[in-house]
Amino acid sequence: VVAGLPTRLSRNNHPMAVHSLTKVVGSAVKGNHSRLVVLTDDFAIGPLALAIAKSFPLFGRKSSKRDEGKSKDKTLHITFVKSDGSIVTDVQQIQVAEVVAKYVRLAGRLVDSHPELLTTTQFSKEVHQLVSEFPSVTITEIIGTELATRGYGGIYGVGKAANCPPRMIILQYNGATSSGDDDGEATETVALVGKGIVYDTGGLSLKVGGEVCIIVMNLCDCYF
């Protein structure tokens, strides 16, 4: 299969049309063993690996009789080729591509997992397992009623009715200083704040017929 990417870019697209690359790879790569050759136009391969990885999500609950007895494991060999026809062999670029592909699929699995499977408790287990791979990262959790007593009433209020208690997970990376000395004093602190949503409809309106409208409001971290 030979496929070309569009030359016209949308306002939210990438110079290498990575959104289109995800669609092309997902529809073109068939079978359990495939080889993919990507002409990079001398662009960094990290974003391209990300786009390809999104074509193969880890989570899925679809099934059919024709899939019974078949292995869902696939092997995809990817070769990135530069404009002069040579293969990308830069070790650092390849490592970046591998890491990006691995963790974008992990993030996709967490996003796609159903709330009865990925509860707040299970999400915590996932985070602990992930952090165990990185000795420089420490983890702290604030769980249940402790959220209220420590001033996080918003998180506690929307999750207190759930079977699994709401929680705040704090990850701290103790990296190298600006001088490159791991034992030196850090000169800068950077904080990344994210909202891990286990279940939140965001005020979704569902019309069930006629003028009847059901409003489901912000059941964040709640599963019944």
Side-chain angles (χ1 to χ4, degrees), residues 160-190:
K160 63 182 180 181
N163 292 331
C164 297
R167 63 182 68 213
M168 174 181 286
I169 300 176
I170 303 169
L171 302 179
Q172 183 173 352
Y173 169 61
N174 301 309
T177 63
S178 57
S179 63
D181 183 5
D182 290 336
D183 298 325
E185 183 179 352
T187 57
E188 184 180 13
T189 299
V190 178

mmCIF file of all heavy atoms in Angstrom, residues 160-190:
data_model
loop_
_atom_site.group_PDB
_atom_site.id
_atom_site.type_symbol
_atom_site.label_atom_id
_atom_site.label_comp_id
_atom_site.label_asym_id
_atom_site.label_seq_id
_atom_site.Cartn_x
_atom_site.Cartn_y
_atom_site.Cartn_z
ATOM 1 N N LYS A 160 -16.880 12.043 46.867
ATOM 2 C CA LYS A 160 -17.103 11.375 48.151
ATOM 3 C C LYS A 160 -18.202 10.325 48.096
ATOM 4 O O LYS A 160 -18.268 9.470 48.985
ATOM 5 C CB LYS A 160 -17.442 12.416 49.218
ATOM 6 C CG LYS A 160 -18.731 13.189 48.965
ATOM 7 C CD LYS A 160 -18.956 14.229 50.059
ATOM 8 C CE LYS A 160 -20.238 15.017 49.821
ATOM 9 N NZ LYS A 160 -20.441 16.038 50.885
ATOM 10 N N ALA A 161 -19.081 10.361 47.093
ATOM 11 C CA ALA A 161 -20.175 9.394 47.022
ATOM 12 C C ALA A 161 -19.794 8.110 46.292
ATOM 13 O O ALA A 161 -20.589 7.180 46.218
ATOM 14 C CB ALA A 161 -21.387 10.020 46.336
ATOM 15 N N ALA A 162 -18.577 8.062 45.770
ATOM 16 C CA ALA A 162 -18.166 6.906 44.974
ATOM 17 C C ALA A 162 -17.777 5.727 45.857
ATOM 18 O O ALA A 162 -17.456 5.879 47.032
ATOM 19 C CB ALA A 162 -16.994 7.277 44.073
ATOM 20 N N ASN A 163 -17.813 4.535 45.273
ATOM 21 C CA ASN A 163 -17.363 3.334 45.979
ATOM 22 C C ASN A 163 -15.876 3.410 46.296
ATOM 23 O O ASN A 163 -15.434 2.953 47.348
ATOM 24 C CB ASN A 163 -17.653 2.090 45.136
ATOM 25 C CG ASN A 163 -19.129 1.812 45.002
ATOM 26 O OD1 ASN A 163 -19.907 2.148 45.882
ATOM 27 N ND2 ASN A 163 -19.528 1.222 43.887
ATOM 28 N N CYS A 164 -15.107 3.964 45.373
ATOM 29 C CA CYS A 164 -13.672 4.147 45.580
ATOM 30 C C CYS A 164 -13.431 5.618 45.903
ATOM 31 O O CYS A 164 -13.920 6.495 45.192
ATOM 32 C CB CYS A 164 -12.889 3.744 44.336
ATOM 33 S SG CYS A 164 -13.047 1.990 43.899
ATOM 34 N N PRO A 165 -12.687 5.919 46.948
ATOM 35 C CA PRO A 165 -12.531 7.302 47.394
ATOM 36 C C PRO A 165 -11.757 8.157 46.398
ATOM 37 O O PRO A 165 -10.885 7.659 45.685
ATOM 38 C CB PRO A 165 -11.753 7.160 48.710
ATOM 39 C CG PRO A 165 -10.994 5.881 48.551
ATOM 40 C CD PRO A 165 -11.898 4.976 47.773
ATOM 41 N N PRO A 166 -12.070 9.456 46.351
ATOM 42 C CA PRO A 166 -11.297 10.362 45.497
ATOM 43 C C PRO A 166 -9.895 10.522 46.062
ATOM 44 O O PRO A 166 -9.653 10.288 47.248
ATOM 45 C CB PRO A 166 -12.078 11.680 45.590
ATOM 46 C CG PRO A 166 -12.751 11.616 46.923
ATOM 47 C CD PRO A 166 -13.102 10.160 47.128
ATOM 48 N N ARG A 167 -8.973 10.931 45.234
ATOM 49 C CA ARG A 167 -7.598 11.075 45.698
ATOM 50 C C ARG A 167 -6.835 12.066 44.842
ATOM 51 O O ARG A 167 -7.159 12.289 43.677
ATOM 52 C CB ARG A 167 -6.877 9.732 45.723
ATOM 53 C CG ARG A 167 -6.708 9.062 44.374
ATOM 54 C CD ARG A 167 -6.026 7.707 44.542
ATOM 55 N NE ARG A 167 -6.878 6.764 45.228
ATOM 56 C CZ ARG A 167 -6.431 5.818 46.049
ATOM 57 N NH1 ARG A 167 -5.134 5.710 46.299
ATOM 58 N NH2 ARG A 167 -7.255 4.974 46.628
ATOM 59 N N MET A 168 -5.822 12.650 45.459
ATOM 60 C CA MET A 168 -4.878 13.503 44.741
ATOM 61 C C MET A 168 -3.526 12.811 44.774
ATOM 62 O O MET A 168 -3.058 12.392 45.832
ATOM 63 C CB MET A 168 -4.767 14.886 45.374
ATOM 64 C CG MET A 168 -3.678 15.756 44.740
ATOM 65 S SD MET A 168 -3.498 17.385 45.498
ATOM 66 C CE MET A 168 -4.971 18.173 44.858
ATOM 67 N N ILE A 169 -2.919 12.684 43.604
ATOM 68 C CA ILE A 169 -1.617 12.024 43.486
ATOM 69 C C ILE A 169 -0.575 13.077 43.128
ATOM 70 O O ILE A 169 -0.735 13.808 42.155
ATOM 71 C CB ILE A 169 -1.660 10.920 42.415
ATOM 72 C CG1 ILE A 169 -2.708 9.861 42.782
ATOM 73 C CG2 ILE A 169 -0.285 10.268 42.258
ATOM 74 C CD1 ILE A 169 -2.870 8.783 41.732
ATOM 75 N N ILE A 170 0.471 13.148 43.927
ATOM 76 C CA ILE A 170 1.532 14.127 43.718
ATOM 77 C C ILE A 170 2.820 13.381 43.388
ATOM 78 O O ILE A 170 3.302 12.557 44.178
ATOM 79 C CB ILE A 170 1.745 14.996 44.973
ATOM 80 C CG1 ILE A 170 0.433 15.688 45.360
ATOM 81 C CG2 ILE A 170 2.842 16.031 44.733
ATOM 82 C CD1 ILE A 170 0.486 16.348 46.725
ATOM 83 N N LEU A 171 3.367 13.653 42.218
ATOM 84 C CA LEU A 171 4.632 13.053 41.797
ATOM 85 C C LEU A 171 5.713 14.128 41.831
ATOM 86 O O LEU A 171 5.510 15.224 41.312
ATOM 87 C CB LEU A 171 4.521 12.475 40.387
ATOM 88 C CG LEU A 171 3.442 11.410 40.157
ATOM 89 C CD1 LEU A 171 3.457 10.967 38.705
ATOM 90 C CD2 LEU A 171 3.649 10.233 41.078
ATOM 91 N N GLN A 172 6.844 13.818 42.429
ATOM 92 C CA GLN A 172 7.950 14.764 42.500
ATOM 93 C C GLN A 172 9.190 14.134 41.901
ATOM 94 O O GLN A 172 9.627 13.060 42.323
ATOM 95 C CB GLN A 172 8.226 15.183 43.946
ATOM 96 C CG GLN A 172 9.338 16.223 44.053
ATOM 97 C CD GLN A 172 9.498 16.756 45.465
ATOM 98 O OE1 GLN A 172 8.695 16.465 46.338
ATOM 99 N NE2 GLN A 172 10.541 17.537 45.692
ATOM 100 N N TYR A 173 9.730 14.814 40.899
ATOM 101 C CA TYR A 173 10.948 14.347 40.231
ATOM 102 C C TYR A 173 12.136 15.140 40.760
ATOM 103 O O TYR A 173 12.187 16.365 40.645
ATOM 104 C CB TYR A 173 10.825 14.536 38.717
ATOM 105 C CG TYR A 173 12.126 14.323 37.970
ATOM 106 C CD1 TYR A 173 12.779 13.097 38.005
ATOM 107 C CD2 TYR A 173 12.696 15.355 37.224
ATOM 108 C CE1 TYR A 173 13.963 12.901 37.319
ATOM 109 C CE2 TYR A 173 13.882 15.173 36.537
ATOM 110 C CZ TYR A 173 14.508 13.943 36.589
ATOM 111 O OH TYR A 173 15.693 13.747 35.917
ATOM 112 N N ASN A 174 13.070 14.444 41.366
ATOM 113 C CA ASN A 174 14.271 15.071 41.889
ATOM 114 C C ASN A 174 15.389 14.902 40.868
ATOM 115 O O ASN A 174 16.179 13.958 40.929
ATOM 116 C CB ASN A 174 14.660 14.432 43.230
ATOM 117 C CG ASN A 174 13.553 14.562 44.259
ATOM 118 O OD1 ASN A 174 13.037 15.646 44.489
ATOM 119 N ND2 ASN A 174 13.157 13.445 44.853
ATOM 120 N N GLY A 175 15.427 15.811 39.926
ATOM 121 C CA GLY A 175 16.376 15.690 38.828
ATOM 122 C C GLY A 175 17.671 16.417 39.094
ATOM 123 O O GLY A 175 17.944 16.884 40.204
ATOM 124 N N ALA A 176 18.472 16.516 38.052
ATOM 125 C CA ALA A 176 19.766 17.176 38.161
ATOM 126 C C ALA A 176 19.579 18.684 38.253
ATOM 127 O O ALA A 176 18.583 19.239 37.787
ATOM 128 C CB ALA A 176 20.636 16.827 36.954
ATOM 129 N N THR A 177 20.528 19.359 38.856
ATOM 130 C CA THR A 177 20.506 20.817 38.931
ATOM 131 C C THR A 177 20.964 21.399 37.604
ATOM 132 O O THR A 177 21.361 20.679 36.681
ATOM 133 C CB THR A 177 21.425 21.309 40.056
ATOM 134 O OG1 THR A 177 22.771 20.925 39.742
ATOM 135 C CG2 THR A 177 21.023 20.697 41.381
ATOM 136 N N SER A 178 20.921 22.711 37.517
ATOM 137 C CA SER A 178 21.331 23.369 36.273
ATOM 138 C C SER A 178 22.796 23.108 35.948
ATOM 139 O O SER A 178 23.213 23.191 34.793
ATOM 140 C CB SER A 178 21.096 24.883 36.380
ATOM 141 O OG SER A 178 21.792 25.415 37.489
ATOM 142 N N SER A 179 23.607 22.792 36.979
ATOM 143 C CA SER A 179 25.017 22.493 36.754
ATOM 144 C C SER A 179 25.259 21.045 36.376
ATOM 145 O O SER A 179 26.377 20.643 36.094
ATOM 146 C CB SER A 179 25.821 22.819 38.020
ATOM 147 O OG SER A 179 25.397 22.005 39.104
ATOM 148 N N GLY A 180 24.161 20.229 36.410
ATOM 149 C CA GLY A 180 24.288 18.827 36.062
ATOM 150 C C GLY A 180 24.673 17.949 37.217
ATOM 151 O O GLY A 180 24.905 16.751 37.053
ATOM 152 N N ASP A 181 24.744 18.526 38.414
ATOM 153 C CA ASP A 181 25.137 17.765 39.600
ATOM 154 C C ASP A 181 23.905 17.286 40.343
ATOM 155 O O ASP A 181 23.116 18.091 40.841
ATOM 156 C CB ASP A 181 25.986 18.653 40.511
ATOM 157 C CG ASP A 181 26.495 17.895 41.742
ATOM 158 O OD1 ASP A 181 26.251 16.678 41.815
ATOM 159 O OD2 ASP A 181 27.135 18.525 42.599
ATOM 160 N N ASP A 182 23.696 15.965 40.415
ATOM 161 C CA ASP A 182 22.510 15.418 41.071
ATOM 162 C C ASP A 182 22.468 15.738 42.560
ATOM 163 O O ASP A 182 21.414 15.747 43.176
ATOM 164 C CB ASP A 182 22.457 13.892 40.873
ATOM 165 C CG ASP A 182 22.163 13.535 39.437
ATOM 166 O OD1 ASP A 182 21.576 14.374 38.742
ATOM 167 O OD2 ASP A 182 22.521 12.423 39.013
ATOM 168 N N ASP A 183 23.640 15.964 43.173
ATOM 169 C CA ASP A 183 23.700 16.211 44.606
ATOM 170 C C ASP A 183 23.649 17.700 44.946
ATOM 171 O O ASP A 183 23.653 18.074 46.119
ATOM 172 C CB ASP A 183 24.987 15.603 45.189
ATOM 173 C CG ASP A 183 25.019 14.086 45.003
ATOM 174 O OD1 ASP A 183 23.933 13.483 45.077
ATOM 175 O OD2 ASP A 183 26.117 13.542 44.784
ATOM 176 N N GLY A 184 23.624 18.554 43.942
ATOM 177 C CA GLY A 184 23.620 19.989 44.187
ATOM 178 C C GLY A 184 22.237 20.498 44.540
ATOM 179 O O GLY A 184 21.261 19.757 44.611
ATOM 180 N N GLU A 185 22.157 21.816 44.761
ATOM 181 C CA GLU A 185 20.891 22.435 45.132
ATOM 182 C C GLU A 185 20.132 22.844 43.880
ATOM 183 O O GLU A 185 20.692 23.493 42.979
ATOM 184 C CB GLU A 185 21.139 23.654 46.020
ATOM 185 C CG GLU A 185 19.848 24.311 46.506
ATOM 186 C CD GLU A 185 20.136 25.495 47.412
ATOM 187 O OE1 GLU A 185 21.315 25.693 47.777
ATOM 188 O OE2 GLU A 185 19.183 26.219 47.745
ATOM 189 N N ALA A 186 18.857 22.471 43.810
ATOM 190 C CA ALA A 186 18.044 22.810 42.646
ATOM 191 C C ALA A 186 17.856 24.317 42.565
ATOM 192 O O ALA A 186 17.659 24.993 43.575
ATOM 193 C CB ALA A 186 16.699 22.113 42.729
ATOM 194 N N THR A 187 17.919 24.863 41.380
ATOM 195 C CA THR A 187 17.780 26.303 41.182
ATOM 196 C C THR A 187 16.413 26.696 40.661
ATOM 197 O O THR A 187 16.082 27.862 40.607
ATOM 198 C CB THR A 187 18.842 26.803 40.192
ATOM 199 O OG1 THR A 187 18.704 26.087 38.950
ATOM 200 C CG2 THR A 187 20.245 26.562 40.745
ATOM 201 N N GLU A 188 15.603 25.723 40.278
ATOM 202 C CA GLU A 188 14.294 26.036 39.714
ATOM 203 C C GLU A 188 13.336 24.883 39.989
ATOM 204 O O GLU A 188 13.728 23.722 39.960
ATOM 205 C CB GLU A 188 14.399 26.284 38.207
ATOM 206 C CG GLU A 188 13.105 26.718 37.561
ATOM 207 C CD GLU A 188 13.255 26.966 36.061
ATOM 208 O OE1 GLU A 188 14.301 26.564 35.501
ATOM 209 O OE2 GLU A 188 12.346 27.553 35.462
ATOM 210 N N THR A 189 12.086 25.227 40.267
ATOM 211 C CA THR A 189 11.045 24.217 40.478
ATOM 212 C C THR A 189 9.971 24.391 39.416
ATOM 213 O O THR A 189 9.484 25.500 39.189
ATOM 214 C CB THR A 189 10.412 24.366 41.875
ATOM 215 O OG1 THR A 189 11.417 24.171 42.866
ATOM 216 C CG2 THR A 189 9.304 23.324 42.066
ATOM 217 N N VAL A 190 9.609 23.314 38.773
ATOM 218 C CA VAL A 190 8.574 23.336 37.740
ATOM 219 C C VAL A 190 7.431 22.431 38.178
ATOM 220 O O VAL A 190 7.650 21.286 38.569
ATOM 221 C CB VAL A 190 9.120 22.848 36.378
ATOM 222 C CG1 VAL A 190 8.013 22.832 35.342
ATOM 223 C CG2 VAL A 190 10.268 23.743 35.924
#
